[in-house]
Amino acid sequence: MKHRKRILPIAAVLVVLVAVAAAAFFRSKPMLDLADTLQVRSISADYWNSGETYHCDISQENIPQKLSSDLVSLFQGVTIRNTLFPRPNTYTVEPDSVYISIQVGLAEGSMRVNLSTNSAYTSAQFGDTHYSIVDGQDLYQKVYDRLSPLLVAHGSPGAPEGEPSPTPSQLPQTVPWEVPEQPSVSYEEYFEQEREYEFFEHLDSAWFYDQCDFEYRDGALYLVDSQKTGEALWKVWDTDNLEVKAVDPAWIYGIVDGKTLIRMDYKGNHQETLFVDDSGLISTMNRGISNPLTVAYTYRYDGTPAPACIQNPLPLADRSVLYFWAGAEDGDGAALYRLYVHDGHTDVVHQYTQKELEQYRFPDYPELEGTGPYYRISAPNPVSNVEVRWSVGNPEFFQRFEAEVQGDFGKLTDTELIHHNTIGYHLHSQLNCTKNTFTGAFQQVEPEW
């Protein structure tokens, strides 16, 4: 009995030592040093799609800068810990499975982030050493949401040596109109001096054609022959989760699932992710009258209507610069972005904090057609590559409007209400804003009567 009493304290000490050692071994630590300047060098993926195994390899020059920055930001918030068992070196792609490997350049060396629907494969890899990613499946889903359009664009069936997707300069001529060649100009060259835009010559708020139209049929977007009987030429997009926002002769620009800005060719074969906004403001603040696009019509000699041009809810200037509203980078409010589409370079032109946004929110009166709640902030109107204009609601007008909300407005529509009350109040319902990115000058003025 005395011998057993001496053993128990020793066993207790050993248990404590093992627990301390295990806690130290499995202690969490940041995956990346926040002070490092990081860049995504490559992305590879294997996945299952429509009964086939797909593989894609995306090199650094084909990864948009905004996407690279988004991925790095996600990784900088991740913690890792030692893993007790080695990660598998091989895997089998099965239905609904995805395997992604992202190489990130570090200050010294590089790291691979391995993510999958199979949690056993998920790891942060430094050389031959694998670490377990804390909340790895959550990170996988966030990364996959950002990468999925790019995977579709670059993926090819079978082995990596499959035919690559065409580059923008090699897009197949599959449309019944001429696609002018787009000169390749670097971001620095394009913005080194002011370029004034003219309405139809340089600002693609519309481009002319007379043969085709777009229609949603059974939840899919089709290109339709408008000269004959409305025959569908081909399917552009499989589901109705795409909001088309801008077009030019070579590209369709749209928002997928209310948050991801993409561009693709007219057959949907080549797709690029341009911007991701998890706040959803990129969708709600860039709504135009589009079903899916606003089409202006002229008339043929026989008197039948013919579509003349597609009106873009978002301006695409010079087939080079796209302007749009989206959630601010710091998460406070919304910002106006300028995106140079040829290399994905994105600049913040102007930002409104959430407090500032609220003063531009039109009141919600369900009995009046067209009233809020929504932000009365217009689509941007670029004057040149360095100057852009837009309008916001006049807070003083909204205050006056709300002061009289208890009155009987009858059956006035929002259009009539704004027109009559603007005159009656002698207040403008909106204010005009201008921002010059060269000088940084910002103006907000009342329009002239």
Side-chain angles (χ1 to χ4, degrees):
M1 183 63 99
K2 290 182 181 180
H3 178 68
R4 187 176 298 175
K5 285 184 179 180
R6 282 196 295 268
I7 291 176
L8 286 177
I10 295 173
V13 170
L14 289 175
V15 169
V16 171
L17 290 175
V18 170
V20 170
F25 182 78
F26 291 110
R27 180 180 299 151
S28 297
K29 63 179 181 179
M31 184 165 72
L32 295 173
D33 185 344
L34 295 178
D36 277 350
T37 300
L38 309 169
Q39 182 74 28
V40 175
R41 292 180 179 173
S42 67
I43 300 171
S44 64
D46 292 282
Y47 56 96
W48 184 277
N49 187 19
S50 303
E52 289 190 90
T53 300
Y54 279 72
H55 176 88
C56 74
D57 284 308
I58 308 170
S59 57
Q60 184 171 339
E61 59 268 21
N62 292 318
I63 301 172
Q65 181 59 46
K66 179 65 169 63
L67 176 61
S68 177
S69 299
D70 283 348
L71 292 175
V72 167
S73 295
L74 284 176
F75 298 156
Q76 286 178 327
V78 168
T79 55
I80 58 175
R81 59 169 66 106
N82 287 317
T83 179
L84 188 60
F85 300 102
R87 289 301 194 240
N89 293 320
T90 61
Y91 54 82
T92 301
V93 181
E94 299 175 339
D96 300 322
S97 66
V98 180
Y99 293 86
I100 299 171
S101 182
I102 302 173
Q103 184 185 29
V104 180
L106 308 177
E108 295 183 5
S110 66
M111 168 194 71
R112 283 197 173 274
V113 181
N114 304 309
L115 301 167
S116 175
T117 48
N118 176 6
S119 59
Y121 174 78
T122 298
S123 70
Q125 181 181 350
F126 297 84
D128 294 329
T129 304
H130 292 257
Y131 293 86
S132 173
I133 298 175
V134 178
D135 296 326
Q137 291 309 102
D138 179 62
L139 178 64
Y140 158 76
Q141 192 60 54
K142 290 177 179 178
V143 169
Y144 179 77
D145 288 344
R146 286 161 171 78
L147 289 185
S148 54
L150 202 64
L151 300 184
V152 173
H154 289 264
S156 56
E161 43 285 356
E163 288 295 320
S165 297
T167 62
S169 60
Q170 300 169 334
L171 286 175
Q173 299 298 307
T174 58
V175 290
W177 55 76
E178 180 183 357
V179 180
E181 185 177 351
Q182 186 74 5
S184 177
V185 180
S186 70
Y187 170 86
E188 290 75 17
E189 290 175 303
Y190 190 87
F191 291 101
E192 67 182 358
Q193 61 183 4
E194 185 168 8
R195 297 166 177 255
E196 292 187 358
Y197 297 138
E198 298 176 12
F199 183 56
F200 282 122
E201 184 176 355
H202 292 297
L203 185 61
D204 289 323
S205 59
W207 64 268
F208 288 96
Y209 70 104
D210 62 0
Q211 297 183 35
C212 297
D213 198 357
F214 289 88
E215 286 186 15
Y216 275 121
R217 297 182 179 181
D218 299 323
L221 180 66
Y222 285 86
L223 192 68
V224 175
D225 186 338
S226 58
Q227 283 195 332
K228 297 180 180 178
T229 59
E231 175 187 358
L233 299 177
W234 60 73
K235 185 187 294 184
V236 179
W237 186 259
D238 279 325
T239 64
D240 59 1
N241 64 338
L242 171 71
E243 305 169 48
V244 178
K245 294 298 182 181
V247 293
D248 69 12
W251 296 102
I252 301 170
Y253 293 80
I255 297 172
V256 179
D257 294 329
K259 66 178 183 179
T260 304
L261 178 65
I262 69 165
R263 74 172 180 174
M264 62 183 181
D265 67 11
Y266 278 81
K267 282 201 170 180
N269 294 327
H270 185 96
Q271 300 170 26
E272 300 174 22
T273 297
L274 302 177
F275 191 91
V276 179
D277 176 21
D278 287 324
S279 75
L281 287 175
I282 192 172
S283 175
T284 60
M285 292 187 68
N286 295 299
R287 293 204 179 278
I289 304 173
S290 56
N291 186 26
L293 300 167
T294 302
V295 181
Y297 287 88
T298 59
Y299 290 87
R300 302 186 181 96
Y301 287 110
D302 62 3
T304 58
C309 61
I310 299 175
Q311 305 287 347
N312 290 343
L314 290 185
L316 176 63
D318 203 21
R319 293 181 63 198
S320 299
V321 187
L322 192 69
Y323 293 84
F324 57 91
W325 295 98
E329 292 179 337
D330 61 6
D332 184 11
L336 174 59
Y337 292 89
R338 182 183 71 186
L339 170 66
Y340 189 57
V341 298
H342 302 308
D343 66 2
H345 194 114
T346 307
D347 298 309
V348 175
V349 176
H350 192 73
Q351 179 173 338
Y352 291 113
T353 66
Q354 188 61 38
K355 184 177 180 180
E356 290 170 330
L357 276 183
E358 293 305 318
Q359 67 180 333
Y360 302 128
R361 187 188 291 273
F362 196 88
D364 183 16
Y365 302 107
E367 69 275 15
L368 298 176
E369 180 184 342
T371 59
Y374 60 89
Y375 301 121
R376 193 174 283 276
I377 297 178
S378 74
N381 176 29
V383 180
S384 73
N385 60 334
V386 300
E387 186 173 309
V388 61
R389 297 173 183 168
W390 68 95
S391 63
V392 296
N394 184 351
E396 190 177 354
F397 174 85
F398 289 168
Q399 292 168 7
R400 181 71 178 271
F401 178 86
E402 287 192 281
E404 298 187 11
V405 73
Q406 299 303 322
D408 181 11
F409 293 106
K411 296 182 179 180
L412 285 175
T413 65
D414 179 50
T415 304
E416 293 169 335
L417 181 72
I418 294 296
H419 175 71
H420 290 296
N421 284 18
T422 297
I423 297 173
Y425 298 160
H426 203 71
L427 286 172
H428 291 284
S429 61
Q430 63 183 26
L431 304 173
N432 293 336
C433 303
T434 303
K435 183 68 175 282
N436 187 299
T437 57
F438 264 1
T439 65
F442 170 72
Q443 286 186 325
Q444 179 174 287
V445 299
E446 291 187 2
E448 297 181 359
W449 287 101

